[in-house]
Amino acid sequence: MSYALKISKDHDGRRLDRTLRTIFKYVPLNEIMKAIRKGEIRINGVKVREPGQHISAGDELLTSWPIKEEEQAKIFKYDDLGRIKIIYQDENLILLNKPAGILVQPDISGGDSVITRVWGVFNSKSPAAVHRLDRNTTGILCVALNGMALRALEKIFKDRTINKKYLAIVDGEINNNIIEIDAPLLKDSEKNTVTVSHEKGLKAVSRVKKLCGDEKFTLVEIELLTGRTHQARVHMSYIKHPIIGDRKYGKFHPDKKFNRPFLHAYKIKFPDNMPDFLNNINNKEFSAPIPEDIKNFIESRNWKIKL
């Protein structure tokens, strides 16, 4: 009996033998090599006897081995990933609503992180985070599921053609409805800190919009026009309105309500010139629900907002 499998973008351009070993982990290597030598493997109906032949996304692979269920379904099928809820999914990417308290990438081998959880679900290390959020920042995180998607998505993030907006609760009353902060940032990698430096810093621009507030606190929308490390946190501290709960850059309130920076990546909009294979998200906007701690704080101040 023969079994057919359409080659996904995960294996585009790979050697046949390496692809077979990845897909059919339960088949011994000597059996795979024997099947290739005997012409038992077909690509698009043609027998292949060269282990090093490269294959392409969309090719039909015919073998005598049954395909495991996880290899048949590359689209994410789970309602959630631990505590990480899914906002959007297709065969190229997933958008996750990252909770506070978890790293995007593991800091030690085998450590817990968003990406290692994704790897565990897909039984593959192909998925990769396209950008970063701090450990205690919540909100939308984009994860590419194959190399082609990763390269395309990294480019739009690098070119800043993607629109990213954050919500933050900051210390003090902000009177202006719109503030544009143009303050170059310098990163100290050893200390993992960022400071404003007009002499050595890299250009960093943020646009801040007041949503509501009172004499003690303000809820703002922060649009990052550049993508520097800790940009929102440092810029708000720079204008004397630090994000509450931020131990590193702001005025930390010793209250259990503020046990992390109240910063949430709540909206992302993709440009209208996405590659054809990413047409599902062309000019689409996605948002992440406000986390409970920020929502409870807003309600405790009796603020009325419509996002």
Side-chain angles (χ1 to χ4, degrees):
M1 184 174 181
S2 296
Y3 299 88
L5 169 70
K6 183 157 286 190
I7 297 300
S8 72
K9 296 182 181 70
D10 289 316
H11 304 297
D12 186 51
R14 295 188 71 195
R15 287 169 53 111
L16 173 63
D17 55 348
R18 291 175 182 171
T19 299
L20 292 174
R21 293 186 67 183
T22 300
I23 295 174
F24 301 99
K25 294 182 173 68
Y26 65 96
V27 179
L29 175 58
N30 63 341
E31 187 177 334
I32 289 175
M33 301 307 289
K34 181 180 178 181
I36 295 174
R37 288 194 304 271
K38 293 176 68 175
E40 295 175 356
I41 307 297
R42 294 174 182 261
I43 295 178
N44 300 325
V46 179
K47 292 181 179 181
V48 180
R49 289 188 168 87
E50 273 297 322
Q53 178 165 328
H54 293 277
I55 57 177
S56 302
D59 284 347
E60 184 181 72
L61 180 68
L62 202 67
T63 76
S64 59
W65 309 302
I67 312 299
K68 294 292 187 179
E69 182 179 351
E70 60 267 23
E71 291 298 335
Q72 291 176 323
K74 283 296 181 183
I75 297 178
F76 201 69
K77 296 296 186 183
Y78 294 78
D79 291 331
D80 58 55
L81 185 66
R83 296 179 296 121
I84 306 175
K85 301 295 182 179
I86 300 167
I87 297 169
Y88 172 80
Q89 62 186 57
D90 64 25
E91 70 272 18
N92 291 300
L93 75 150
I94 51 177
L95 298 178
L96 302 172
N97 186 14
K98 176 190 169 299
I102 183 170
L103 293 166
V104 171
Q105 300 280 8
D107 55 352
I108 59 172
S109 178
D112 186 27
S113 71
V114 174
I115 288 302
T116 48
R117 293 187 190 189
V118 174
W119 289 346
V121 168
F122 282 92
N123 194 27
S124 167
K125 290 190 176 182
S126 293
V130 180
H131 58 116
R132 300 288 183 268
L133 294 176
D134 294 335
R135 180 196 291 268
N136 286 314
T137 297
T138 56
I140 298 179
L141 179 72
C142 181
V143 177
L145 298 181
N146 57 69
M148 188 183 301
L150 178 62
R151 290 187 290 274
L153 291 166
E154 282 183 333
K155 186 177 189 305
I156 69 167
F157 273 81
K158 181 180 179 181
D159 293 345
R160 306 304 300 170
T161 56
I162 195 163
N163 183 268
K164 294 192 299 179
K165 292 181 179 179
Y166 290 73
L167 291 180
I169 296 174
V170 302
D171 190 65
E173 182 178 13
I174 293 181
N175 296 316
N176 297 329
N177 288 330
I178 302 289
I179 302 172
E180 188 160 296
I181 307 169
D182 188 346
L185 298 179
L186 179 65
K187 181 179 179 179
D188 185 329
S189 297
E190 289 187 4
K191 296 180 180 179
N192 192 30
T193 58
V194 177
T195 56
V196 171
S197 173
H198 294 282
E199 295 77 25
K200 299 180 180 180
L202 297 175
K203 186 174 181 62
V205 183
S206 303
R207 184 174 294 129
V208 180
K209 178 182 178 182
K210 177 182 178 180
L211 298 178
C212 58
D214 51 39
E215 70 282 358
K216 288 187 176 181
F217 305 103
T218 306
L219 175 67
V220 296
E221 174 190 274
I222 305 172
E223 182 180 356
L224 300 183
L225 304 183
T226 54
R228 308 301 177 196
T229 302
H230 299 171
Q231 179 174 319
R233 296 165 64 188
V234 178
H235 271 179
M236 295 312 300
S237 180
Y238 177 70
I239 65 169
K240 310 302 182 186
H241 292 287
I243 296 171
I244 64 171
D246 192 344
R247 289 177 179 268
K248 183 174 286 190
Y249 298 110
K251 181 181 178 183
F252 179 71
H253 296 263
D255 188 302
K256 64 182 180 180
K257 296 198 297 286
F258 311 133
N259 59 2
R260 71 172 183 94
F262 273 20
L263 180 64
H264 176 64
Y266 91 108
K267 192 173 288 187
I268 191 170
K269 184 176 182 180
F270 293 92
D272 61 3
N273 59 346
M274 298 295 292
D276 288 344
F277 76 98
L278 292 175
N279 192 55
N280 288 347
I281 58 171
N282 193 69
N283 201 33
K284 295 289 181 63
E285 183 175 82
F286 301 91
S287 59
I290 301 175
E292 287 299 314
D293 53 359
I294 294 180
K295 185 188 298 184
N296 291 339
F297 183 85
I298 290 172
E299 292 175 354
S300 74
R301 309 300 293 185
N302 293 316
W303 294 344
K304 306 299 180 185
I305 60 168
K306 185 177 180 180
L307 298 175

